[in-house]
Amino acid sequence: MQVEAAIRLDLLFETISGIIALLVTIYASRAYRLTEQKRLSDLSTGFMVLSAGMFGRVIGTWYFFVRWGGEGEVPPSLRFLIAVVTIAYGASRIMAYVIFAIALRPSRKVDLPEAAVMLALPVLVDPTLEIVAILVLVIVVLQALTNYFTRRSSFGLYVLAGFFLLLLSHLMLAQAILNSGMYLLSQITQLLGFFSFLVLLKKTG
């Protein structure tokens, strides 16, 4: 029963995070139409990939446990399904983080709206994919840190906080294999990171 409760809570957090990521996608897309900033388009694309991966994981995991029922040995077809869901989810996050890293690359050209410039954001654990995701996120956080110290604006601080929380979430997730309690904590940290992006976009109108 405890395992089932933990899985349901995990899927609940993942669903909320997916909804927030989708909201960030919508706000960033609207901001892009208003400002025509390429980096906002990258932000929208990155979070769209993230939200798609999250919803795919929730649906796939739910289907797996409903079909399995928690009794007996897991059938090979369901083992294959959960492996595909895990790999697809990890790949979607890495893809999104790569997009964020590209969006945060230093630009020689000074864009007009400073707010738009600062918006340039950036039981199912695959250790290899987590390491790749962490390495990419380290680059994203370093770029966000550089941008913040260059501009020192509240927008840059929200961007830095959001990506730092995502990095912290993945570092916790990497330890979940040794300490299962870290898994839920990583989901909460990820949720806080997404809230940071959502507040940032709301503040820019």
Side-chain angles (χ1 to χ4, degrees), residues 6 43 86 104 115 150 154 183:
L43 171 66
T86 302
L104 279 174
T150 300
S154 60
Y183 189 88

Side-chain angles (χ1 to χ4, degrees), residues 144-166:
L145 187 65
T146 301
N147 287 343
Y148 172 68
F149 281 117
T150 300
R151 306 251 177 194
R152 288 191 179 277
S153 69
S154 60
F155 297 103
L157 185 60
Y158 279 116
V159 171
L160 177 59
F163 278 116
F164 178 76
L165 286 169
L166 286 182

Side-chain angles (χ1 to χ4, degrees), residues 54 68 91 153 195:
M54 288 174 176
W68 178 39
S153 69
F195 267 123

Side-chain angles (χ1 to χ4, degrees), residues 120-133:
L121 301 182
V123 58
L124 296 171
V125 179
D126 188 304
T128 303
L129 292 176
E130 284 305 314
I131 291 173
V132 175

Side-chain angles (χ1 to χ4, degrees), residues 10-179:
D10 170 45
L11 293 183
L12 176 62
F13 276 118
E14 192 78 349
T15 301
I16 295 173
S17 296
I19 292 172
I20 294 175
L22 191 59
L23 287 174
V24 173
T25 300
I26 294 171
Y27 279 113
S29 180
R30 289 178 180 174
Y32 169 69
R33 287 197 295 269
L34 289 173
T35 64
E36 295 185 354
Q37 292 291 321
K38 175 64 168 60
R39 294 183 176 188
L40 286 174
S41 176
D42 293 338
L43 171 66
S44 177
T45 302
F47 272 97
M48 182 174 64
V49 172
L50 266 182
S51 64
M54 288 174 176
F55 288 131
R57 175 181 176 270
V58 169
I59 294 171
T61 305
W62 185 261
Y63 178 80
F64 169 80
F65 281 104
V66 167
R67 288 294 303 273
W68 178 39
E71 297 179 358
E73 187 179 351
V74 180
S77 59
L78 289 183
R79 280 203 299 267
F80 177 75
L81 168 68
I82 207 65
V84 170
V85 169
T86 302
I87 293 173
Y89 177 56
S92 68
R93 287 189 298 180
I94 292 171
M95 187 186 306
Y97 299 153
V98 168
I99 293 173
F100 295 147
I102 293 173
L104 279 174
R105 68 189 183 282
S107 176
R108 297 179 181 178
K109 172 173 80 168
V110 178
D111 299 321
L112 293 179
E114 181 183 359
V117 173
M118 298 319 298
L119 275 171
L121 301 182
V123 58
L124 296 171
V125 179
D126 188 304
T128 303
L129 292 176
E130 284 305 314
I131 291 173
V132 175
I134 288 171
L135 291 175
V136 175
L137 266 179
V138 167
I139 296 173
V140 174
V141 169
L142 289 176
Q143 289 176 331
L145 187 65
T146 301
N147 287 343
Y148 172 68
F149 281 117
T150 300
R151 306 251 177 194
R152 288 191 179 277
S153 69
S154 60
F155 297 103
L157 185 60
Y158 279 116
V159 171
L160 177 59
F163 278 116
F164 178 76
L165 286 169
L166 286 182
L167 174 59
L168 195 60
S169 169
H170 279 277
L171 290 172
M172 292 176 180
L173 194 59
Q175 301 176 51
I177 298 176
L178 301 176
N179 183 359

